[in-house]
Amino acid sequence: MKKIVLLLLILVTAGASAFEPFVIDDIRIIGADRISQGTIFSHLPMERGDEIDAQMVRNGIQRLFATGYFNDIKMTKDGRVLIITVEERPAIATISITGNKSIKTEELLAGLENIGLSEGEVFNELELERVKSELVQQFFSRGKYNVKVDTSHRELDRNRVMVTITIDEGKSAKIQHIKIVGNTVFSDEELIDTFESDTTNWLSWYSQDNQYSKEKLNGDLEKLKSYYMDRGYVNTDIESVQVTISPNKKEIYITINIQEGDQYLFGEQKLTGELIYDKEVMENYLFTKEGNTFAQNLIEITVNNFKGLLSNRGYAFAEVEPVTQINEDDKTVDLTYYVKPGKRVYVRRINFIGNTKTKDEVLRREMRQFEGAWFSQALVDRSKLRLQQKPYIEEIEIETPQVPGSEDQVDVNVKVKERNSGQFQFGLGYSQVSGLNLSGSVSLANFLGSGNSVSVAVNTSDYYNRINLYYENPYFTDDGISLGYSLNFTDIDQGEANIAQYNSSNGSLGVNMSFPLTEYDRLYTSFAYERVSLRATQGRTADAIVDELLDLGGYAYFCLPSVRPDDDDDLLPLTNQCFADGVIPPATGADGETILSPYQYRRAFTLYKTTARWARDSRNRFFNPTRGAYHSIGFEASLPNSTAEFYKINLKENILFPLTKNLTLSLRGEIGYGEGYGDTNSLPFFEHFFAGGVNSVRGYDDNTLGPKSLVAEIPGTYDHLPLTSRPGDPVGGQFKVIGSAEVIFPTPFAKDSNAARLAWFIDAGNVFDSYDDFEARELRLSTGVALKWQAPVGPIVISYAYPFNSDKYDRKERLQFTFGNTF
């Protein structure tokens, strides 16, 4: 490099020494295509009218070379015209980087731009060595000490070049040992457990905690200091850190030298400044109590408490400064909190950004912070939570920037990421109960951006056919009363659903309304007219259901089977004959042959159903929540003059506790109770509770837990007839208890933590004939892992469970799953 500069200076000096002085009438520039002539003129030490000599020529050439824009510069004269001929350096057209894995290309390009290498800039071949050094240092900081960087360039047309950078990262240096020297109060293991860095362990393949990086180590040192500060050691000092690499550049050894110092307690606590609230009120938000062990994190919590308290009265930019006074004599730390509320702030505008489908007014009606009102952080947080609970919203971010030029105004900017709330779909799914599900549907959770829900769905599977029409306006009135309508028809073969073998057909027309009680509480009500048709076959349906069906009222008739035996016990077709209830059917057919004795009983019911349900929902999002709670108490009853008179009560609880930043404990429970009234004290069998399955007690087959009823065998032996059933068919019960505890943790390799969650669970539950039959020892238990994923094809739920107190009549199923959109 020095030789090239020296050669240029010699050439400049030689060219300038032969230059005869003259007065410049004009300056002409030749060869400047990309660099503007104005840029060149700005660097010249001469202009028109100046007398130029050899020294001035040398200065001019040197200044132009110093710009880095040119490979060659010549100054000549033509009469009294100074002619400057330049040869421009090429421009960088593209920069191609390959082989980088641990550092993103965007990060590498940003680092290169800081040293002047970026697309569109002037290319200087001499800078490539500097580029290598810069990239190597970036990889060194990530523990990639075996990295190799090669650079090259290729000339393109129009005086451009393409720069190619090839990287071979090599294997990362692994942390083999971390040693802390000087610690006497806490062990190495206690302190290192707080680090992001660690030595190789069985989870290192996923967490990468054994890979060294300078940034990660700096963060760990801050955590180490905070660990001591949060436990009273205010004078803890990190004296030195040594990072040693092995000769083969594969192992890293870290030694941290610390001085712990003494432990201190909180001393006198003072509040001063403009408090806004009564002093006694603010003192209730003090987490730093005199006599307790000093903790820096409690000071930060207290400061945030004060700021939050003030922001709820409009002081959005309040400042709270904690000042400490260390008393070495008694090892205490006095604290004085200086409160500076600043000016009271109100909201100028609420702006929605990113909502391409949902109308502004639909989002605005969920806001609890209003324009023109005093700013309140609590109301902003509540608004965010309400928006996140909407099924058509995927993510919400809220910023509150200060209005430029104003000290007492802020805007509330709501950034919205919407879900696909409308679907026109023909698809399929699969679950282990329903088998293959074919579906066609039009579903709009946000119809025309109005927030109204509209759906038309047709579904068919191995055991059911369903048609559903639904409409709901969540803001039928301005104060949040919702109104909805539904029309349903369902035909189900209950035996295929693991329930006692009978068929049911239901048609219903309903209207539902809900009423907001508080910000978190809502009352849901509905009224529906329902027509129920049930079909049971003697010898196929559980005896308990046949007996109850015969005892129920309603329009009834029974039919003979559609087959009969001939003389050789083979089957011959027989026209299906049905008889009104109470009519004795013939024992033989028209031609005198004996007819099989089992009959099919059919009954139709008319039900007038009403429901009322209170729900309180404070969970933080609609899908896969991580904190908050859901409480619900529901009452359902058939009104007098219905064919069957009954009522049901259902209690549901789901409470989520954040254990750490990435771990959540979810507790879930459900209790169901029902019975009849009027002429009967029992809950009709078609309204019974059931348990077991992927959404209940996992590890047990769907709907199979609880009471079971044997099926009496029919006279004669016709094994090839569809008239027999396995003994012990589930018939459900009038009392259900379900409980579950889950520890939810991050899903490996999942980019969106809100869309997927992995959990370890313990389930318990069962169904009982009645409340009086409940016994805790009869609760079925299971444990396992579960994955819930909001996939593009619809929600996917997979669980693997181990039942550990089943009996011989329980049907176990360890791997359970369901996926695809169903309605």
Side-chain angles (χ1 to χ4, degrees):
M1 179 69 180
K2 292 181 179 179
K3 292 181 179 180
I4 295 175
V5 174
L6 181 60
L7 179 59
L8 290 173
L9 290 175
I10 292 172
L11 293 174
V12 169
T13 303
S17 62
F19 206 94
E20 294 293 334
F22 71 97
V23 176
I24 302 173
D25 284 347
D26 194 10
I27 299 175
R28 187 182 309 161
I29 298 174
I30 300 173
D33 296 325
R34 191 178 65 258
I35 308 301
S36 69
Q37 293 194 7
T39 299
I40 296 174
F41 280 127
S42 67
H43 289 86
L44 289 176
M46 71 284 288
E47 59 183 19
R48 293 177 184 174
D50 290 345
E51 182 176 354
I52 188 171
D53 55 17
Q55 182 60 43
M56 191 176 292
V57 169
R58 283 193 294 270
N59 291 342
I61 293 176
Q62 288 175 5
R63 287 191 183 185
L64 292 178
F65 267 121
T67 64
Y69 297 150
F70 308 106
N71 279 328
D72 190 21
I73 303 168
K74 294 180 182 178
M75 289 190 182
T76 59
K77 70 174 183 175
D78 182 5
R80 296 167 68 93
V81 176
L82 175 63
I83 299 174
I84 303 174
T85 304
V86 297
E87 179 185 330
E88 293 179 330
R89 284 179 174 165
I92 300 173
T94 58
I95 300 176
S96 173
I97 302 178
T98 59
N100 54 305
K101 298 176 182 178
S102 60
I103 305 179
K104 294 180 180 180
T105 300
E106 294 77 11
E107 295 180 42
L108 295 177
L109 290 175
L112 295 178
E113 187 174 0
N114 291 334
I115 63 173
L117 188 75
S118 62
E119 294 180 3
E121 293 294 329
V122 174
F123 173 70
N124 186 348
E125 187 174 357
L126 300 176
E127 291 292 326
L128 290 184
E129 286 301 321
R130 188 179 170 198
V131 167
K132 282 186 180 182
S133 177
E134 168 66 21
L135 293 178
V136 166
Q137 289 302 318
Q138 287 196 49
F139 282 98
F140 276 8
S141 68
R142 303 291 180 97
K144 301 284 186 177
Y145 290 101
N146 292 304
V147 66
K148 295 180 181 179
V149 179
D150 292 322
T151 60
S152 61
H153 68 281
R154 180 166 61 88
E155 295 183 358
L156 304 175
D157 57 354
R158 298 187 309 227
N159 198 25
R160 299 176 303 149
V161 297
M162 181 178 72
V163 176
T164 301
I165 302 173
T166 304
I167 299 170
D168 180 5
E169 293 188 354
K171 291 187 177 180
S172 299
K174 301 294 192 299
I175 300 173
Q176 294 299 315
H177 186 69
I178 301 177
K179 177 62 177 176
I180 300 176
V181 179
N183 53 311
T184 59
V185 180
F186 305 109
S187 66
D188 284 11
E189 290 74 16
E190 288 179 274
L191 300 175
I192 294 173
D193 278 346
T194 66
F195 288 8
E196 187 178 351
S197 304
D198 201 357
T199 53
T200 303
N201 55 72
W202 67 279
L203 279 177
S204 294
W205 64 272
Y206 168 65
S207 64
Q208 307 294 314
D209 56 357
N210 64 338
Q211 293 189 9
Y212 169 80
S213 79
K214 186 176 180 181
E215 292 80 2
K216 191 159 61 174
L217 179 59
N218 288 337
D220 291 336
L221 296 177
E222 290 296 325
K223 292 178 182 177
L224 178 61
K225 184 71 179 270
S226 296
Y227 190 86
Y228 274 95
M229 292 287 288
D230 292 342
R231 287 156 181 81
Y233 295 89
V234 298
N235 293 323
T236 297
D237 183 41
I238 299 175
E239 295 181 324
S240 64
V241 179
Q242 292 89 39
V243 179
T244 307
I245 185 170
S246 64
N248 61 5
K249 298 182 179 181
K250 293 182 179 180
E251 290 88 29
I252 294 289
Y253 301 87
I254 301 173
T255 302
I256 304 170
N257 295 279
I258 66 172
Q259 183 178 357
E260 291 178 328
D262 297 321
Q263 189 179 46
Y264 288 72
L265 305 178
F266 280 119
E268 185 180 3
Q269 311 287 297
K270 294 181 181 179
L271 278 171
T272 186
E274 191 178 350
L275 302 184
I276 302 301
Y277 292 86
D278 291 338
K279 189 174 182 180
E280 292 75 15
V281 172
M282 298 195 70
E283 285 177 344
N284 291 331
Y285 289 82
L286 275 172
F287 274 67
T288 54
K289 304 296 184 182
E290 185 175 351
N292 290 352
T293 301
F294 178 89
Q296 183 65 40
N297 61 337
L298 295 183
I299 297 177
E300 295 171 0
I301 292 173
T302 300
V303 168
N304 289 332
N305 283 344
F306 289 156
K307 286 185 176 180
L309 194 63
L310 293 169
S311 70
N312 291 338
R313 281 201 174 179
Y315 298 94
F317 306 114
E319 296 180 4
V320 179
E321 182 182 359
V323 177
T324 59
Q325 176 64 47
I326 299 176
N327 304 311
E328 295 292 349
D329 295 337
D330 57 1
K331 304 299 181 186
T332 61
V333 180
D334 295 336
L335 263 171
T336 302
Y337 294 96
Y338 289 92
V339 179
K340 303 174 183 178
K343 288 192 174 182
R344 200 173 186 188
V345 174
Y346 65 92
V347 176
R348 185 184 67 165
R349 290 196 193 95
I350 297 177
N351 305 309
F352 296 96
I353 304 166
N355 52 313
T356 59
K357 304 170 187 175
T358 309
K359 297 177 181 178
D360 273 15
E361 55 265 29
V362 174
L363 302 175
R364 195 175 297 275
R365 67 193 184 192
E366 303 299 334
M367 297 295 295
R368 293 302 176 259
Q369 173 69 68
F370 301 119
E371 292 180 345
W374 296 119
F375 173 85
S376 170
Q377 187 62 52
L379 294 179
V380 170
D381 293 341
R382 178 57 186 158
S383 301
K384 180 179 180 180
L385 184 61
R386 287 181 64 89
L387 288 169
Q388 284 182 162
Q389 290 176 336
K390 297 302 173 184
Y392 45 85
I393 299 297
E394 182 173 342
E395 189 175 344
I396 290 290
E397 291 183 10
I398 297 182
E399 297 177 349
T400 55
Q402 189 171 0
V403 175
S406 174
E407 296 181 357
D408 61 352
Q409 295 182 81
V410 295
D411 287 335
V412 176
N413 296 330
V414 184
K415 296 182 180 179
V416 179
K417 185 177 181 182
E418 298 172 303
R419 292 186 188 275
N420 291 327
S421 58
Q423 293 181 341
F424 176 69
Q425 180 175 351
F426 290 97
L428 59 87
Y430 183 84
S431 73
Q432 288 168 305
V433 174
S434 62
L436 186 66
N437 308 312
L438 301 178
S439 64
S441 66
V442 177
S443 177
L444 299 169
N446 188 18
F447 182 60
L448 298 179
S450 65
N452 298 347
S453 297
V454 178
S455 69
V456 180
V458 179
N459 303 88
T460 183
S461 72
D462 286 350
Y463 79 92
Y464 73 83
N465 296 294
R466 180 180 298 165
I467 299 174
N468 173 270
L469 306 176
Y470 181 75
Y471 169 82
E472 183 184 30
N473 180 356
Y475 276 83
F476 178 67
T477 65
D478 292 339
D479 53 1
I481 297 176
S482 72
L483 176 65
Y485 306 95
S486 63
L487 178 63
N488 298 279
F489 173 77
T490 305
D491 184 72
I492 303 177
D493 183 346
Q494 303 287 359
E496 293 293 336
N498 294 331
I499 300 172
Q501 300 188 31
Y502 67 93
N503 293 77
S504 65
S505 297
N506 297 56
S508 68
L509 175 65
V511 57
N512 55 276
M513 297 184 73
S514 69
F515 307 84
L517 303 178
T518 69
E519 276 299 301
Y520 298 95
D521 301 79
R522 200 168 186 90
L523 177 65
Y524 299 84
T525 62
S526 70
F527 175 80
Y529 166 81
E530 186 172 344
R531 184 71 172 173
V532 182
S533 176
L534 302 174
R535 302 182 299 279
T537 303
Q538 184 184 22
R540 182 175 180 228
T541 303
D543 292 348
I545 289 180
V546 172
D547 294 341
E548 186 175 346
L549 187 65
L550 293 176
D551 291 338
L552 288 171
Y555 174 72
Y557 60 96
F558 54 95
C559 301
L560 298 177
S562 58
V563 293
R564 64 178 174 80
D566 65 7
D567 295 337
D568 297 323
D569 287 343
D570 292 328
L571 296 177
L572 297 175
L574 179 71
T575 302
N576 194 16
Q577 301 181 55
C578 296
F579 303 89
D581 191 13
V583 177
I584 301 176
T588 60
D591 53 2
E593 289 90 349
T594 301
I595 297 176
L596 294 176
S597 59
Y599 304 119
Q600 183 186 85
Y601 299 94
R602 302 184 182 181
R603 286 189 181 269
F605 303 92
T606 299
L607 301 176
Y608 304 96
K609 283 186 176 181
T610 184
T611 64
R613 179 171 61 90
W614 164 83
R616 179 179 177 86
D617 191 354
S618 60
R619 294 173 296 182
N620 62 329
R621 64 173 64 94
F622 175 74
F623 190 82
N624 280 347
T626 57
R627 66 176 181 273
Y630 176 82
H631 315 277
S632 172
I633 299 177
F635 176 82
E636 177 185 356
S638 62
L639 298 177
N641 295 324
S642 297
T643 305
E645 297 175 338
F646 62 91
Y647 67 89
K648 297 165 71 175
I649 300 172
N650 198 269
L651 169 65
K652 292 183 178 181
E653 295 280 340
N654 182 205
I655 305 175
L656 299 110
F657 303 93
L659 301 177
T660 68
K661 180 181 179 182
N662 296 317
L663 294 179
T664 298
L665 173 64
S666 173
L667 301 179
R668 177 174 56 88
E670 180 180 356
I671 296 176
Y673 174 77
E675 64 178 24
Y677 70 92
D679 295 335
T680 178
N681 292 323
S682 62
L683 186 69
F685 67 88
F686 53 86
E687 292 287 346
H688 277 181
F689 296 103
F690 293 87
V694 70
N695 294 314
S696 180
V697 183
R698 288 160 283 198
Y700 297 89
D701 209 352
D702 291 67
N703 303 322
T704 60
L705 292 180
K708 299 175 178 63
S709 175
L710 297 178
V711 180
E713 295 185 359
I714 61 173
T717 302
Y718 298 97
D719 293 336
H720 48 288
L721 285 173
L723 299 176
T724 60
S725 174
R726 54 185 178 271
D729 277 351
V731 294
Q734 298 182 109
F735 184 63
K736 176 174 73 170
V737 178
I738 300 292
S740 178
E742 289 186 335
V743 176
I744 305 168
F745 46 90
T747 304
F749 315 116
K751 294 182 179 180
D752 185 357
S753 60
N754 296 336
R757 74 177 187 183
L758 196 62
W760 169 70
F761 63 83
I762 297 177
D763 288 347
N766 211 336
V767 175
F768 303 88
D769 273 324
S770 66
Y771 174 77
D772 294 334
D773 296 313
F774 171 77
E775 291 187 35
R777 65 181 180 179
E778 291 298 322
L779 293 175
R780 297 294 183 258
L781 303 174
S782 67
T783 185
V785 293
L787 171 68
K788 187 176 181 182
W789 178 33
Q790 180 69 12
V793 297
I796 293 177
V797 180
I798 303 173
S799 68
Y800 183 85
Y802 178 77
F804 52 86
N805 71 330
S806 58
D807 67 22
K808 62 181 180 179
Y809 298 108
D810 289 329
R811 302 176 195 170
K812 294 176 286 187
E813 188 176 55
R814 294 190 180 181
L815 180 64
Q816 297 175 312
F817 59 90
T818 180
F819 68 86
N821 284 333
T822 57
F823 291 82

